[in-house]
Amino acid sequence: MSCGIRLIAADLDGTLLPHARDPAAPAPAPSARLRAALRGVLDAGIHVVVATGRPGRQARRLTAGLGVHDLAVCANGAEVYDLRAGAAVRRSFLSAAGARQVLAQVRASIPDVVFAWEDSDGIGHETRWNTPFVEPPVEVGDPADLLNRPVGKLLARHPVLGPAELAARVRAGRRAAAGLTLTWSTGPILEILARGVSKGAALESLSRRLGVAAHQVMAIGDAHNDLSMLAFAGRAVAAGDAPSAVRAAADLVIGPDDPDGVARVLERLLPWERSQRGWS
């Protein structure tokens, strides 16, 4: 293919879809232009991988209207999920013992931090978590009792510190942060994942599986948790109102007020569009 791109990895919320804060809400509708552009790149033989912080069970529901049905990078890389089959094909979870140890070590140095956690089947949180999840099943209580199986990620929030500041405090307690991935999206929550787990690492693994080199990958994202895949991809695109660190990591920045910005980027990969408009 003349454009050289064989795989597109795109974030979901805020990139392919408008932000939907409520995990149980109906999936926001993608624009007709975006659906057409996705169909075009798929028909042109380009792989499309959704890369999201959401777990697979949510990603499957939210991608139904996009026409993308193959493998997805979910839970910020902790899960590779087959959207068509509705099943995880690989998990890179924190062990139950490891999650409890991280929780105890972080709490020892930052007493006011409050935790939630997510595994393949559902989510749980401490009683003090002040924005309860609405997606069942939800378990509420003491993590010392409830953290008894591997988890995709720990979620941490603080009454004063934002996720970047909280991550800096966690890293300062080197023992707690050693080898872990600390990341965040657009909200106030820090996400703690197992050693080496990230969207970028999962995308690299999927690219090898598909026989696609890094320079043949385009990644599109809008938040801190997208930085690892933007760094891996040969072409990095920052969507919408991405923070400055994400914009700085991108080769192309879409205007913040362009609802069809992602569709325009995808259209530029289509051979017939490139020929008609003279793009190189």
Side-chain angles (χ1 to χ4, degrees), residues 2 20 37 61 64 70 93 115 122 124 145 188 199 214 225 230 252 257:
S2 58
R61 172 173 57 85
D70 294 322
F93 281 12
F115 285 97
D145 298 326
K199 286 188 181 184
N225 62 337
L230 296 181
L252 172 67
D257 298 317

Side-chain angles (χ1 to χ4, degrees), residues 26 98 122 132 180 229:
L180 298 174
M229 71 172 184

Side-chain angles (χ1 to χ4, degrees), residues 12 111 123-124 139 163-164 177 186 188 274:
L12 195 54
I123 51 184
E139 50 187 8
T186 55
R274 292 162 59 82

Side-chain angles (χ1 to χ4, degrees), residues 65-104:
L66 291 170
V68 178
H69 304 296
D70 294 322
L71 295 180
V73 172
C74 297
N76 283 329
E79 189 174 49
V80 175
Y81 196 85
D82 187 328
L83 294 171
R84 194 180 304 277
V89 299
R90 194 192 74 193
R91 294 188 176 104
S92 303
F93 281 12
L94 281 162
S95 68
R100 290 194 301 269
Q101 182 179 40
V102 170
L103 187 148

Side-chain angles (χ1 to χ4, degrees), residues 53 75-78 92 94 98-99 101-103 105-107 109-110 113 115-116 152-157 161-201 223-229:
N76 283 329
S92 303
L94 281 162
Q101 182 179 40
V102 170
L103 187 148
Q105 290 174 348
V106 171
R107 174 154 290 148
S109 58
I110 316 172
V113 72
F115 285 97
K153 54 188 176 180
L154 288 172
L155 310 175
R157 65 184 305 160
L161 303 175
E165 300 161 303
L166 185 55
R169 289 279 299 273
V170 172
R171 289 190 183 103
R174 297 177 185 174
R175 188 163 156 241
L180 298 174
T181 297
L182 307 180
T183 193
W184 57 92
S185 183
T186 55
I189 297 170
L190 175 68
E191 302 190 15
I192 304 174
L193 299 105
R195 178 188 297 270
V197 172
S198 68
K199 286 188 181 184
H224 182 276
N225 62 337
D226 297 314
L227 285 173
S228 59
M229 71 172 184

Side-chain angles (χ1 to χ4, degrees), residues 109-122:
S109 58
I110 316 172
D112 291 335
V113 72
V114 183
F115 285 97
W117 53 92
E118 189 164 54
D119 63 20
S120 298
D121 300 319

